[in-house]
Amino acid sequence: MMQSTSQTEVAQAPTIVETFPVIGITCAACARSIESLSRSVEGVRRADVNVASATVTLEYDPLVVQPTDIATTLRDFGYDLIYADQPTTALAEATARERRALAELKRNTIGAAIGTVPTVALAMGPWHTEPWAVALSALLTTFVLGVFGRTFFVRAWSQLRARALAMDTLVALSTGIAWSWSMLALLAPSFLRANGIEPHLYFESAATIITFILLGKYLEHAARLKTNAALTALVALQPQSVHRRSNGDVQDVPLSHVQRGDYLRVLPGERIPVDGFVVEGESWADEQLLTGESLPVVKRPGDRVYAGTLNGDGTLTVEARAVGHGTFLGSMIRAVEQAQSSKTPSQELADRVAGIFVPIVIGIALVALSVWVLLVPSAVSNGVLAMVSVLIVACPCALGLATPTAVAVALGRAAHLGMLVRNARALDAIARMRHVVFDKTGTLTIGAPRVKDARWFISAAEQRMLAPLLRAALEQNTHPLSRAIADWLAVEPSGEFQFEQVRGRGFRAWNDTHTVLVGNRDYLAEEGIAIPDAPGVVATEVFLAVDGSAVLGVWLNDSIRDDAAEVVAALRAEGMILHLVSGDRAAVAAQVAAELGIEHVAAPLLPNQKQDYVERLRREKQGAVVMVGDGINDAQALAAADASIAIGTGSDVAIHAADVTLVGERLQPLLSLYALSRALKRIIAQNLGWAFIYNLVLIPIAAGVLYPVAGIMLHPMLASAAMAASSVSVVTNSLRLRYKS
């Protein structure tokens, strides 16, 4: 029994989810290999690889395993997991290593080309049968494969050991077979002729395959680095060293050594390294990264500053309150990483196909060879040619890159436009959205209500006595309505209260002598408090009660966001069905909906009723349902929608519940998000269509199906060029999303 309890505790142990860069990911089959190898380590619950960003997201039990243990396992099979104390440091290191890998690819490509050109010239010239020409071709090809193509063979061996075949396996097999057959033909031609086989040489094919594949990998790698340009740019905004002040001295230390409470000096023109508060100095800061506002913001002692923003012409001393991944910039980086690690339905399909693709291709190649040997014994060399062409023309890379590359570019573009996407699946839903459900306060309105009318229900003497008490209670709550009423009271607060939020209705505050209730009419009625007759004002109404008696009624209105009408009109023009749900009075919600032209209104609704409303729309199955909100009372509805969008100025609960956060205070990015999602859907369809058609058409041709009717065989040199072009075309097509506005 004790053992069973222990096992249960282990199974329920808390886990950590982190994303790490990995060097050595080249295709979807590599991703499957890394996932299976990572999951084989005890303590790893989940492993998801993103090919385009070259990262792996791991969920693991820190009491059982550490990232260094997983890195050791992957390193044994040719993959290098980059681990550092700060995620930004790991990303910076990974980017630097990727650039070094790109430079090495360039050198290998040039070196292979230098060896391949004379090999092809020798094979195509009039001297191709001369012994010296054949010997030189063999020497050059061996040099190209053994030096510049060595990586393919090393990784193929690692993949074979891991029982996870990938593109490197196909390249190694095809070039190895071509070279081996050619060496046999060179060294034992009489043996082949004695068996009725013409000893054809394919040295130039093996060398050309390596050169074209290296060229394709170089172009693909260079393009893939661009897909992560947005993430790399975010990482670059955080300086790696800072000026820390301690005991009157200022020392330069790595950012990873900074702790909460440290004092940092930020010189003119430097990036602010942490989130915190100014304690000395005066300057201005460029906060366009956070707000989209291009005008600089004045910073004085007591003002908040953010990591990654640019200090102006003054020197500041900042007290660190959040460092590294705890900063707002860190949350942006994590959001992009998290979204890249999530997979759309089309990517999951492509991954499943890529997982079985390599074994199927090897099977087709063997069948092609067998058919040639059985049907045309005298043309075994054609069978070898067909097998090599099939192995090399097949392209799992195009399949594996079709979706993640496009998604990575789209996520980077979204971040640049002021949208943080946490779940890539949300983009698929937004592209299909039919219903858009808006919250009112703080979403369609600015969330800064003003008191329109107010009525006391007590005497003037009681008002003077209770007003400081009410303000102290109101200041316990951060809701815009509470803040507006507190400011309207215009008295100094008096007293301390305990506080309890009643979601969607109001709140209760109490101390040893008084209990204050603040909320809508229904909330106070539920508590048995009678509301005196009140003016019929079409506005948001809030009532305040002390010790069981109503003392004050307040009516507030809110201004509609400047861009709300434009956004609503644009969505309606796209054929969207628009809804407004609110916890406010029905008359107030209807008034806002009428001003904006929203046809469906539901109010007043509690948080669970908003959730029910969204779920009912989803059950109707008339397209995807997208919820846009900002407050705590929207969290349930946001979680229930096909895709959820939070305004960046909203509550932390709403932002964390949403798939997408619109940075800043504007709704306009919602239209850009919709356009970007639709463009992403088109690009993915084009990429997958090209990848599938390419393989479906060229693999049979490479096997020789056209030879009986047209005498056409796909030469391995052309096959390698086609294979390289297919991967590059998919990545290049995805990069078009970088310019989508």
Side-chain angles (χ1 to χ4, degrees):
M1 186 68 178
M2 291 294 291
Q3 184 179 0
S4 175
T5 302
S6 177
Q7 288 174 348
T8 300
E9 289 174 355
V10 171
Q12 295 176 348
T15 58
I16 293 176
V17 178
E18 289 186 290
T19 298
F20 302 96
V22 178
I23 306 299
I25 299 176
T26 58
C27 65
C30 295
R32 303 273 292 197
S33 176
I34 292 171
E35 289 173 351
S36 62
L37 287 169
S38 299
R39 287 194 293 266
S40 70
V41 179
E42 183 182 2
V44 177
R45 304 283 179 81
R46 177 172 63 89
D48 293 314
V49 170
N50 184 282
V51 179
S53 61
T55 57
V56 59
T57 298
L58 299 171
E59 180 182 358
Y60 62 92
D61 182 347
L63 299 180
V64 179
V65 66
Q66 288 295 308
T68 49
D69 303 322
I70 305 167
T72 300
T73 299
L74 294 179
R75 194 176 300 116
D76 290 340
F77 292 91
Y79 304 105
D80 201 357
L81 184 143
I82 308 300
Y83 174 73
D85 292 335
Q86 289 291 342
T88 52
T89 304
L91 283 169
E93 181 183 345
T95 300
R97 292 180 65 167
E98 289 282 7
R99 295 193 184 282
R100 290 197 296 270
L102 181 64
E104 184 180 356
L105 262 176
K106 183 178 181 180
R107 289 193 299 270
N108 286 344
T109 303
I110 294 172
I114 292 173
T116 298
V117 170
T119 304
V120 174
L122 290 170
M124 300 299 177
W127 47 74
H128 69 278
T129 57
E130 297 291 334
W132 66 267
V134 174
L136 185 56
S137 293
L139 182 62
L140 288 171
T141 301
T142 303
F143 183 71
V144 169
L145 269 63
V147 176
F148 304 112
R150 177 178 177 275
T151 304
F152 295 112
F153 294 93
V154 171
R155 289 192 178 176
W157 175 244
S158 297
Q159 291 160 7
L160 189 61
R161 288 171 54 212
R163 298 179 183 177
L165 306 182
M167 188 209 75
D168 296 313
T169 311
L170 299 180
V171 175
L173 277 174
S174 58
T175 54
I177 291 170
W179 179 86
S180 300
W181 175 266
S182 300
M183 290 301 292
L184 178 63
L186 172 63
L187 299 175
S190 57
F191 170 77
L192 293 178
R193 289 194 179 96
N195 287 276
I197 302 172
E198 189 63 28
H200 290 297
L201 300 173
Y202 298 114
F203 287 122
E204 80 285 358
S205 297
T208 305
I209 289 170
I210 291 294
T211 302
F212 272 130
I213 299 300
L214 284 172
L215 176 61
K217 298 307 292 180
Y218 170 75
L219 296 174
E220 175 192 322
H221 199 114
R224 265 181 31 191
L225 279 177
K226 294 179 183 178
T227 67
N228 284 327
L231 187 58
T232 304
L234 288 176
V235 172
L237 292 176
Q238 201 161 34
Q240 296 303 305
S241 65
V242 299
H243 316 299
R244 184 170 64 184
R245 192 180 76 184
S246 179
N247 299 324
D249 295 329
V250 177
Q251 294 181 332
D252 288 351
V253 299
L255 178 62
S256 58
H257 291 183
V258 175
Q259 298 180 349
R260 178 182 170 89
D262 284 351
Y263 288 91
L264 308 177
R265 180 169 293 174
V266 185
L267 302 177
E270 291 185 338
R271 293 279 176 185
I272 296 172
V274 296
D275 287 1
F277 292 94
V278 176
V279 294
E280 291 179 10
E282 184 172 325
S283 184
W284 52 265
D286 180 355
E287 297 185 342
Q288 188 171 3
L289 165 73
L290 309 180
T291 64
E293 176 58 57
S294 58
L295 296 177
V297 181
V298 175
K299 296 296 178 183
R300 299 185 178 92
D303 289 341
R304 182 183 292 273
V305 291
Y306 298 93
T309 57
L310 183 66
N311 183 30
D313 55 4
T315 299
L316 299 175
T317 300
V318 175
E319 180 185 354
R321 291 296 182 89
V323 183
H325 62 267
T327 63
F328 182 82
L329 176 63
S331 70
M332 293 177 69
I333 293 170
R334 285 201 314 278
V336 175
E337 288 180 333
Q338 181 182 348
Q340 288 185 346
S341 68
S342 60
K343 296 183 179 182
T344 64
S346 56
Q347 184 176 345
E348 290 174 346
L349 171 63
D351 284 352
R352 285 196 297 271
V353 173
I356 60 173
F357 185 84
V358 173
I360 290 176
V361 168
I362 293 174
I364 293 173
L366 291 174
V367 169
L369 174 63
S370 302
V371 169
W372 277 97
V373 171
L374 293 174
L375 298 183
V376 193
S378 61
V380 172
S381 58
N382 279 356
V384 173
L385 186 73
M387 180 170 62
V388 171
S389 296
V390 167
L391 290 172
I392 205 61
V393 81
C395 189
C397 294
L399 277 174
L401 291 169
T403 299
T405 304
V407 169
V409 178
L411 294 174
R413 183 59 181 164
H416 180 76
L417 294 174
M419 301 169 283
L420 296 182
V421 183
R422 288 179 172 79
N423 187 349
R425 284 178 174 270
L427 298 177
D428 182 67
I430 291 169
R432 299 180 289 105
M433 71 180 181
R434 174 69 170 161
H435 295 273
V436 184
V437 183
F438 289 99
D439 171 53
K440 180 180 73 69
T441 305
T443 302
L444 292 173
T445 64
I446 61 176
R450 296 186 301 273
V451 175
K452 183 177 183 180
D453 196 2
R455 176 172 296 185
W456 288 96
F457 305 132
I458 53 178
S459 66
E462 290 176 307
Q463 292 175 31
R464 288 192 295 273
M465 181 181 68
L466 291 180
L469 184 80
L470 293 174
R471 175 151 192 179
L474 288 164
E475 289 187 348
Q476 298 292 311
N477 190 15
T478 59
H479 195 283
L481 295 176
S482 296
R483 291 200 297 266
I485 299 172
D487 292 342
W488 175 83
L489 285 171
V491 295
E492 289 296 319
S494 175
E496 295 183 357
F497 288 88
Q498 297 185 60
F499 174 82
E500 179 187 17
Q501 181 82 39
V502 183
R503 189 174 295 181
R505 293 191 178 273
F507 70 89
R508 176 194 303 269
W510 69 94
N511 57 23
D512 293 338
T513 55
H514 296 287
T515 298
V516 178
L517 299 182
V518 179
N520 57 31
R521 185 185 296 268
D522 290 341
Y523 175 49
L524 267 65
E526 288 176 1
E527 298 293 328
I529 298 173
I531 305 296
D533 291 338
V537 180
V538 180
T540 302
E541 57 182 12
V542 178
F543 296 97
L544 293 82
V546 178
D547 299 332
S549 298
V551 298
L552 175 64
V554 183
W555 288 263
L556 308 95
N557 56 19
D558 197 357
S559 300
I560 294 175
R561 291 188 185 275
D562 293 340
D563 57 348
E566 177 189 353
V567 170
V568 168
L571 292 175
R572 195 187 311 111
E574 292 285 347
M576 304 298 167
I577 302 172
L578 306 180
H579 308 257
L580 187 151
V581 295
S582 176
D584 208 343
R585 297 167 60 198
V588 177
Q591 184 181 50
V592 172
E595 286 187 41
L596 293 174
I598 297 176
E599 54 267 39
H600 301 283
V601 184
L605 296 183
L606 295 174
N608 63 305
Q609 293 173 321
K610 290 183 179 181
Q611 178 184 354
D612 292 341
Y613 189 92
V614 170
E615 289 176 344
R616 177 178 60 79
L617 291 177
R618 290 188 67 191
R619 286 194 297 270
E620 292 175 0
K621 297 185 182 301
Q622 295 181 355
V625 180
V626 175
M627 173 73 190
V628 187
D630 80 308
I632 293 176
N633 59 349
D634 299 323
Q636 291 174 246
L638 288 167
D642 292 303
S644 50
I645 302 170
I647 304 298
T649 53
S651 72
D652 289 344
V653 174
I655 290 172
H656 291 153
D659 298 313
V660 182
T661 300
L662 306 182
V663 178
E665 301 180 355
R666 296 182 60 77
L667 277 173
Q668 182 68 35
L670 178 58
L671 300 180
S672 299
L673 180 63
Y674 177 61
L676 183 64
S677 298
R678 294 190 65 183
L680 173 62
K681 188 176 181 179
R682 287 195 302 272
I683 292 292
I684 289 176
Q686 292 166 5
N687 287 352
L688 286 174
W690 162 249
F692 276 112
I693 291 172
Y694 165 88
N695 283 291
L696 288 174
V697 171
L698 287 188
I699 289 178
I701 294 175
V705 296
L706 294 181
Y707 189 81
V709 294
I712 295 175
M713 291 286 292
L714 183 63
H715 197 279
M717 288 192 293
L718 295 178
S720 61
M723 192 274 237
S726 76
S727 295
V728 174
S729 63
V730 163
V731 176
T732 304
N733 190 42
S734 299
L735 287 174
R736 294 195 294 130
L737 288 167
R738 295 177 70 190
Y739 310 104
K740 187 66 183 177
S741 61

